C-alpha cells in the first residue's frame, strides 16, 4: 500500500484500525501491510508526481561522522563497516567522501556520481523551523540542514538520477509546516527528485538502528521490494526490545526494487 499524503503529523505506519464492536486488526499498518508513503505535488510545485519503480544502487556514499561535542554513536562505525562490506559483496562502488564534513558532503551532492546516500549520524528536528534548523549532524559537529540542498548542480543530479537517501539519525523523518509549504528532509529531497527517503520519526537506539539497516539492505539486494525490505528491517530491529522498529518512515514506491547490475 502507498499512502499519498501531505499531512505532516499523522504517523500512518502506526494506525491500528478497530471498531467499537470489538473488531481490530492484529497489528498496526506497518506490520499488517507492506506500506510506504509519498508526498503529492502541492500548489507551489513541491513534491513529485510519482516514485520510481526501480532504484539504482551502483554507487553509494556511507557517512558515519565522529564528534567532539556531541556524544559518539557507538554503532555508527560498525554500521558503516557492515554496509561497505555489503557493497563490496554486491559490486557497489564506494563514493563516500574521505571525511564526512559539511564541505565534503556538499561537494558530493554537487559533484553527483552517487545514486544512494546513507548516513549513520546524530539528528534533530525543530518544528518551529523545519527547513533551517532540522539537522543531520556531520563531522566537526556541523549541521547539514534541508535548506542547504539547493543549487543547479545538486538539483540536476536529483532530477536526473532519482537517488535514494537513508538517514539513520534520530527524528529526521519528521515534517512540519514552514511558511508556505511542508518543511523537513522528506519534502526537500522528494521535491528535489529523490526516488526514496528513509528515516526515523523519533529517537532510535544504536542497536536497533543497525539491525534495521542491515536487514533492510540485505533484503533489498536479495531482490525483495522496498516495502518487503522495510518489514524485514522492522522485524530485525524489534529484537532490540525498544520502539526503534516502529520509528521508520519510508517514502518511495512499495513495489520498487533495486537494479545494481
Amino acid at each position: 500500500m502507498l499512502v499519498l499524503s501531505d499531512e505532516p503529523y499523522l504517523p500512518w505506519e502506526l494506525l491500528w484500525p478497530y471498531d467499537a464492536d470489538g473488531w481490530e486488526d492484529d497489528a498496526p499498518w506497518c506490520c499488517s501491510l507492506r506500506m510506504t508513503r509519498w508526498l503529492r505535488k502541492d500548489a507551489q510545485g513541491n513534491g513529485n508526481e510519482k516514485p520510481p519503480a526501480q532504484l539504482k544502487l551502483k554507487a553509494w556514499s556511507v557517512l558515519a561522522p565522529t564528534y567532539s561535542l556531541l556524544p559518539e554513536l557507538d554503532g555508527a562505525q560498525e554500521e558503516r563497516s557492515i554496509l561497505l562490506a555489503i557493497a563490496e559483496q554486491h559490486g557497489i562502488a564506494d563514493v563516500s567522501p574521505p571525511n564526512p564534513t559539511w564541505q565534503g558532503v556538499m561537494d558530493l551532492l554537487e559533484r553527483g556520481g552517487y545514486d544512494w546516500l546513507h548516513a549513520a549520524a546524530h539528528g534533530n528536528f525543530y518544528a518551529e523551523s523545519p527547513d533551517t534548523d532540522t539537522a543531520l549532524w556531520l563531522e566537526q559537529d556541523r549541521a547539514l540542514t534541508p535548506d542547504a540542498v539547493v543549487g543547479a548542480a545538486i538539483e540536476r543530479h536529483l532530477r536526473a538520477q532519482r537517488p535514494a537517501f537513508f538517514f539513520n539519525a534520530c527524528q529526521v523523518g519528521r515534517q512540519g509546516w514552514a511558511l508556505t509549504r511542508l518543511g523537513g528532509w522528506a519534502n526537500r529531497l522528494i521535491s528535489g527528485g529523490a526516488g526514496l527517503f528513509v528515516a526515523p520519526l523519533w529517537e532510535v537506539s544504536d542497536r536497533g538502528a543497525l539491525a534495521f539497516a542491515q536487514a533492510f539492505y540485505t533484503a533489498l539486494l536479495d531482490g525483495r521490494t522496498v516495502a518487503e525490505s522495510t518489514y524485514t528491517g522492522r522485524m530485525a530491529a524489534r529484537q532490540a526490545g525498544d520502539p526503534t522498529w516502529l520509528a521508520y518512515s519510508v517514502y518511495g514506491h512499495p513495489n520498487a526494487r533495486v537494479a545494481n547490475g
Side-chain angles (χ1 to χ4, degrees):
M1 183 177 75
L2 178 65
V3 175
L4 187 64
S5 172
D6 57 4
E7 202 289 322
Y9 305 118
L10 186 61
W12 293 99
E13 296 82 1
L14 302 184
L15 289 188
W16 197 322
Y18 70 94
D19 67 23
D21 294 328
W23 167 88
E24 65 177 307
D25 271 358
D26 293 333
W29 276 2
C30 66
C31 293
S32 62
L33 302 172
R34 303 297 179 262
M35 65 168 292
T36 57
R37 303 189 188 200
W38 196 248
L39 296 170
R40 65 180 182 179
K41 208 162 189 175
D42 64 21
Q44 288 76 37
N46 302 297
N48 215 307
E49 292 295 344
K50 58 183 178 180
Q54 189 173 75
L55 299 166
K56 299 175 184 175
L57 186 41
K58 297 180 181 179
W60 73 359
S61 175
V62 181
L63 312 177
T66 57
Y67 303 102
S68 55
L69 300 176
L70 293 167
E72 290 292 352
L73 293 171
D74 294 336
Q77 300 308 316
E78 182 182 1
E79 185 171 323
R80 181 177 187 274
S81 296
I82 289 172
L83 296 188
L84 290 180
I86 291 174
E88 184 176 1
Q89 178 185 355
H90 289 273
I92 302 167
D94 175 20
V95 295
S96 309
N99 294 300
T101 61
W102 186 91
Q103 190 59 60
V105 174
M106 289 301 297
D107 288 346
L108 171 72
L109 293 173
E110 291 174 354
R111 184 173 62 250
Y114 69 94
D115 47 42
W116 204 289
L117 192 153
H118 181 99
H122 278 297
N124 295 102
F125 175 78
Y126 295 95
E128 296 80 5
S129 49
D131 280 335
T132 58
D133 289 338
T134 290
L136 182 72
W137 292 95
L138 300 176
E139 198 89 6
Q140 301 171 352
D141 303 273
R142 186 169 178 184
L144 181 70
T145 57
D147 65 345
V149 185
V150 294
I154 293 175
E155 295 181 29
R156 186 161 48 242
H157 181 73
L158 290 177
R159 292 183 183 280
Q161 295 298 113
R162 306 298 302 273
F165 294 82
F166 187 151
F167 288 172
N168 217 359
C170 298
Q171 302 180 16
V172 294
R174 293 176 60 186
Q175 297 184 89
W177 288 109
L179 184 61
T180 60
R181 58 182 174 82
L182 280 178
W185 278 112
N187 192 62
R188 174 80 284 272
L189 293 171
I190 295 301
S191 296
L196 180 77
F197 177 63
V198 183
L201 296 169
W202 57 76
E203 291 186 12
V204 292
S205 68
D206 276 4
R207 182 179 162 209
L210 172 58
F212 182 96
Q214 184 174 2
F216 174 83
Y217 283 118
T218 299
L220 202 61
L221 288 164
D222 281 346
R224 301 179 73 179
T225 67
V226 166
E228 290 169 341
S229 300
T230 300
Y231 176 79
T232 301
R234 289 191 197 280
M235 294 302 102
R238 192 173 189 175
Q239 303 305 311
D242 60 56
T244 293
W245 68 285
L246 294 168
Y248 289 88
S249 281
V250 177
Y251 293 82
H253 196 301
N255 294 326
R257 299 178 192 270
V258 157
N260 70 327

